[in-house]
Amino acid sequence: DRNLTASSYGNRLRRGEDGKINPLSLGSFKPYLKPFRDWRDNGIQSMRTALEDNKKIVAVTADVSSFYHELNPGFMLKDEFNRLFDLELTDEEAKLHRLFITAIQAWADKTPLRKGLPVGLPASAVVANMALIELDRLMEKQVAPLYYGRYVDDFLLVMENGAGFESTEDLWEWLFARSNGLLDWKDKKHDAVKFKPAYLNDSQVLFENDKNKVFLLSGEQGKRLVESIAWQIHQRASEWRALPNLPVDARQIGTDLVAAVQKDGEAADNLRKTGALTMRRAGFAIKLRDFEAYERDLSPETWQAHRHAFFRAFIQHVLVLPHFFDLSIYLPRVIRLATACEDFDHLRRILNALDDLYVAVDKHCAATIKSCPSASSPASSDILSRWRTQIFDSVGESIIAAFPTRLSRNGKTSWQEHMAEYIPPDIETLLNWPIFNSLSGFKEAHQRLFSFDLAHMPFRLIGLPKEMIAQRRLIAKKYVTTMDAPGEVLPDNLIEGISILAGWTRLKGLPHGLLFSTRPFNLTELTVLVKDPYSRSGQNKMQTVVLALRGFSL
């Protein structure tokens, strides 16, 4: 990762000011949002600057098709690849490296594809980044563009149009001539560009032409296009920062949500109009984020009409084909919202809609595995069965995570009426549903998730003053689980900081939810907890706690 240049923005490891990996940071990688914005905004700024200087420019966006699925990690063991770096591995490091790569290959052999990287494994992001390091070097040194940036498998290239390109093929042929054989057409049809360094001879890295976009920009027309793109980006970024406004009329909710899921009519916010799906997701996510804010800050009865209108629109316009596949990643959040607000009647309607959705998919759709040859693909029925199991396991976990610690009287009645007897399809294969037999089993499962900071409600709220969490229902501190012998696996400075924090929050022992916090205290909340913030002792304690929680020193 250290050998990658600044033009590689995505999935970069988190480092301290000294350039070394920070083992106390909250994650292995830099948070994605700022690097993504930098990648996008720097490209737009380079276009704007060039056009202001009256230059004719060409902008290219492209991404690799099925990148993770088509990549064989064995390239990292090849001499052709390792000669690109000035790395000296010890015998122990070389053995660990070899074991890691062969472990991924063994995993791939057990999949229908028999190749590829496991999506979701953090280390896969590093392997994928390294596969395209020669592409970065090619673009930076041989093309010498005004701007080049890559975000994992997406790249954006901006350069002067001095050669007078008139077509997409002209541009690609020009790039091929400067690529030293690394880039070429996949075949004579010219429907895809292939990246083919020697170390990837057993992988397939293709830039499909239906995803590649080339823009020839010049003069006032070019400026207007770039400014339009930038304005749309700014509007959407501002909307993310703005406080949500609850509509006066609940009937507006359904209209807004339908607009958020429509395929047409969205303004472009980037150069690639495959961004229509991204925009649709963003529009829906903004609506959902607003409702989650209401759930945090308002009592359920004060905005019931708006919430119920949202659920009705969600069932009618999202839990249907084909919109569900675009927005399915938001289903767990909607389930948690309904559960936390004790809307069990609408929760049951959502579950019934999921049952109907599965029947529709089974009847009207053929299920295949992306990039998998049809001869080695499992049967469609097997794929659909596993897909259904994953959905309902996720739903079950979401209900457990958001289940109120103490149900209201109306909540208990609603649960008994709508949910107590619900049985999902193929219940014997589901992990999270057996506990639905009793509310006590439910509460125990919720307490466990909450103790590990995996519930809908962040664990840290248990340590804040009651005045700050008046709308919350928290489990009693006596049910919080703690870790035995943490010194066997965690560094001393982390244990020291968490011990101080546990004292501030009046929690006994070292709770899992503080040691492995998924949503740790922020600085504002910590200043409320510290007893003597202006003394040297208080400041030293704050430094120790922040280092343990967030991995940096104040």
Side-chain angles (χ1 to χ4, degrees), residues 14 19 25 39 53 137 224 228 232 234 316-317 326 344 348 507 552:
R14 186 176 263 174
S25 66
W39 169 71
D53 292 338
R137 294 179 176 182
R224 284 196 297 271
S228 173
Q232 292 294 342
H234 176 73
Q316 293 171 9
H317 301 291
D326 291 345
F344 298 127
R348 177 62 182 270
L507 291 167
F552 66 87

Side-chain angles (χ1 to χ4, degrees), residues 491-512:
D492 293 340
N493 49 4
L494 190 150
I495 294 175
E496 180 185 3
I498 299 302
S499 297
I500 295 172
L501 182 59
W504 289 351
T505 55
R506 299 181 181 178
L507 291 167
K508 296 180 180 180
L510 294 177
H512 293 98

Side-chain angles (χ1 to χ4, degrees), residues 287-343:
K287 300 295 179 188
L288 178 56
R289 178 216 58 181
D290 288 351
F291 280 90
E292 289 171 333
Y294 309 151
E295 184 264 318
R296 285 194 300 271
D297 299 331
L298 303 174
S299 58
E301 60 273 11
T302 59
W303 64 292
Q304 185 180 72
H306 297 81
R307 192 171 64 250
H308 291 178
F310 173 81
F311 291 139
R312 287 195 297 271
F314 179 77
I315 292 169
Q316 293 171 9
H317 301 291
V318 177
L319 297 184
V320 293
L321 298 178
H323 292 312
F324 176 75
F325 294 105
D326 291 345
L327 301 169
S328 61
I329 58 174
Y330 300 107
L331 174 64
R333 290 168 59 182
V334 176
I335 294 288
R336 291 196 293 268
L337 178 64
T339 304
C341 294
E342 299 186 352
D343 288 321

Side-chain angles (χ1 to χ4, degrees), residues 67-76 78 101 105 115-117 127 199-200 202-204:
F67 186 37
Y68 274 44
H69 305 305
E70 296 288 356
L71 199 60
N72 183 348
F75 76 87
M76 296 192 77
K78 295 182 178 180
I101 297 299
Q105 291 174 320
K115 60 182 176 180
L117 298 173
V127 176
Y199 57 84
L200 292 181
D202 54 355
S203 298
Q204 182 168 269

Side-chain angles (χ1 to χ4, degrees), residues 359-399:
V359 172
V361 171
D362 190 30
K363 182 177 180 180
H364 300 294
C365 303
T368 59
I369 296 177
K370 186 178 181 182
S371 303
C372 183
S374 56
S376 58
S377 179
S380 177
S381 58
D382 292 341
I383 297 173
L384 287 177
S385 176
R386 183 169 297 192
W387 171 68
R388 178 172 57 180
T389 299
Q390 288 178 333
I391 286 180
F392 278 95
D393 265 331
S394 173
V395 167
E397 183 175 313
S398 298
I399 296 173

Side-chain angles (χ1 to χ4, degrees), residues 431-497:
L431 300 175
N432 293 306
W433 284 84
I435 62 164
F436 277 54
N437 295 331
S438 69
L439 287 178
S440 60
F442 230 114
K443 291 178 179 178
E444 288 179 9
H446 173 78
Q447 288 170 1
R448 176 171 172 80
L449 283 184
F450 180 78
S451 287
F452 283 85
D453 200 15
L454 297 173
H456 175 60
M457 202 177 303
F459 178 82
R460 72 177 190 276
L461 298 183
I462 201 172
L464 293 175
K466 292 181 180 179
E467 295 82 1
M468 297 181 68
I469 51 172
Q471 304 299 329
R472 299 292 188 172
R473 295 184 179 133
L474 300 169
I475 70 172
K477 291 182 178 180
K478 63 181 180 181
Y479 295 118
V480 171
T481 62
T482 58
M483 185 177 182
D484 297 327
E488 295 180 3
V489 293
L490 297 173
D492 293 340
N493 49 4
L494 190 150
I495 294 175
E496 180 185 3

Side-chain angles (χ1 to χ4, degrees), residues 130-181:
M130 300 314 302
L132 298 181
I133 189 170
E134 276 289 84
L135 180 66
D136 297 342
R137 294 179 176 182
L138 162 67
M139 294 296 180
E140 291 172 354
K141 296 178 181 178
Q142 302 301 324
V143 177
L146 298 173
Y147 172 80
Y148 167 75
R150 179 174 61 83
Y151 195 91
V152 192
D153 62 341
D154 273 281
F155 79 74
L156 172 58
L157 175 69
V158 181
M159 59 186 189
E160 286 194 62
N161 190 4
F165 304 119
E166 295 183 355
S167 68
T168 300
E169 286 199 11
D170 287 348
L171 171 66
W172 282 115
E173 292 288 357
W174 187 89
L175 290 173
F176 296 163
R178 285 153 183 78
S179 71
N180 297 322

